[in-house]
Amino acid sequence: RFTPGIECHTHEYIRTGHLDSKFGFDPDQLEQVLTHLAGCRWARVQGLHAHIGSQIFEVEPHRDLAAVLADALVLARRLGHEPSDLNVGGGLGIRYVASDDPPSIDGWVQVVAEAMVAACRERNLELPRLLCEPGRSLVAPAGVTLYTVGSRKQIPDLNTYVAVDGGMSDNPRPITYQSEYTACLADRPGAEATETVTLVGKHCESGDVLLKQLPLPATEPGDVLVVLATGAYNASMASNYNRIPKPAAVLVADGCAELVQRRERPDELLRYDVLPERLRSVG
Ligand SMILES: Cc1ncc(COP(=O)(O)O)c(C=O)c1O
């Protein structure tokens, strides 16, 4: 993997293809790396890989990536390697809020494939096996998170906070990347909004805000609120912040609901704790 030196417009924490990145070899070191590997009996360079970042809406960076990867393939071949694979990573964004405008999966694949074919033809390269690593675009829209509405704090002329029974431990993206989401009530998804609220989690952090400026119909404690498009980078990034147990996951399809991950129990949060011998008799 190398950093292709491609800038794209996404949050700096999920940008990985620019030069000042911790991921991959620097492109200026690629020749040195490949030369070194050519002298290693234990190494076989099967492919070249670059991942430019995540939640990307423009197709130009991936179009540019094709040329960068093809140049790297020329270099690798010149140095005696026979890589069969070029891997363009992932990165295709999804619509979290109405203003997000990602290309379709088909559109993205077409751009990537056509750019790669063109880049290889221009360099008289045999077409490599083209790999990609889509993550978010495949699974994020398939997931939703259900919260139960709890307390409310109304500050006249300033803000209305509505708290739910989850937050940054099941979805750390808003506090980490200022990510935005769309939400609605489970039993009245199309109901007209009557107020604008700040949806907050139950953790002991002022930054535990799931959604700002959320238009909502009147809610009561106990209402179920749905945050959409949480199928990627939510369960996999969940934590036990504030010793909050992780929620269950339920697979829903064709009118059938199946538990695929049971809710964590509070006692399980203590399962790695060890009481040193010398403290056992205390108290
Ligand atoms: C190397 C690599 N490939 C693919 C992906 C998936 O990216 P995305 O979910 O944006 O498609 C990631 C995500 O971090 C990654 O690090």
Side-chain angles (χ1 to χ4, degrees), residues 10-78:
T10 190
H11 192 280
E12 73 169 302
Y13 291 175
I14 50 175
R15 220 188 297 148
T16 59
H18 56 304
L19 292 176
D20 188 2
S21 162
K22 73 171 184 173
F23 296 109
F25 288 110
D26 184 88
D28 290 339
Q29 294 168 333
L30 201 54
E31 178 156 1
Q32 194 189 343
V33 171
L34 290 168
T35 304
H36 175 73
L37 289 174
C40 296
R41 276 196 306 124
W42 48 265
R44 181 167 61 89
V45 177
Q46 171 152 355
L48 298 163
H49 173 226
H51 169 70
I52 59 177
S54 205
Q55 184 59 359
I56 300 166
F57 294 151
E58 318 117 291
V59 288
E60 285 72 26
H62 276 101
R63 198 176 277 137
D64 296 345
L65 179 61
V68 176
L69 279 170
D71 281 342
L73 188 55
V74 170
L75 175 68
R77 295 238 163 110
R78 178 163 64 73

Side-chain angles (χ1 to χ4, degrees), residues 54-55 90-96 105 133-145 173 181 227-237 249-252:
S54 205
Q55 184 59 359
L92 174 59
I94 66 142
R95 173 168 291 164
Y96 284 104
I105 292 181
E133 302 168 332
R136 184 193 315 270
S137 53
L138 291 186
V139 294
V144 299
T145 303
R173 294 188 66 252
Y181 284 91
V227 175
L228 304 174
T230 57
Y233 305 117
N234 278 231
S236 58
M237 284 168 54
V250 179
L251 187 66
V252 179

Side-chain angles (χ1 to χ4, degrees), residues 172-221:
R173 294 188 66 252
I175 198 169
T176 312
Y177 316 125
Q178 295 80 49
S179 308
E180 295 181 302
Y181 284 91
T182 301
C184 61
L185 291 178
D187 60 349
R188 284 164 282 153
E192 203 173 320
T194 52
E195 60 177 349
T196 301
V197 308
T198 300
L199 191 74
V200 294
K202 65 173 179 180
H203 306 80
C204 192
E205 292 288 347
S206 294
D208 182 20
V209 174
L210 282 170
L211 273 105
K212 289 181 182 158
Q213 299 276 315
L214 169 65
L216 267 191
T219 54
E220 301 264 324

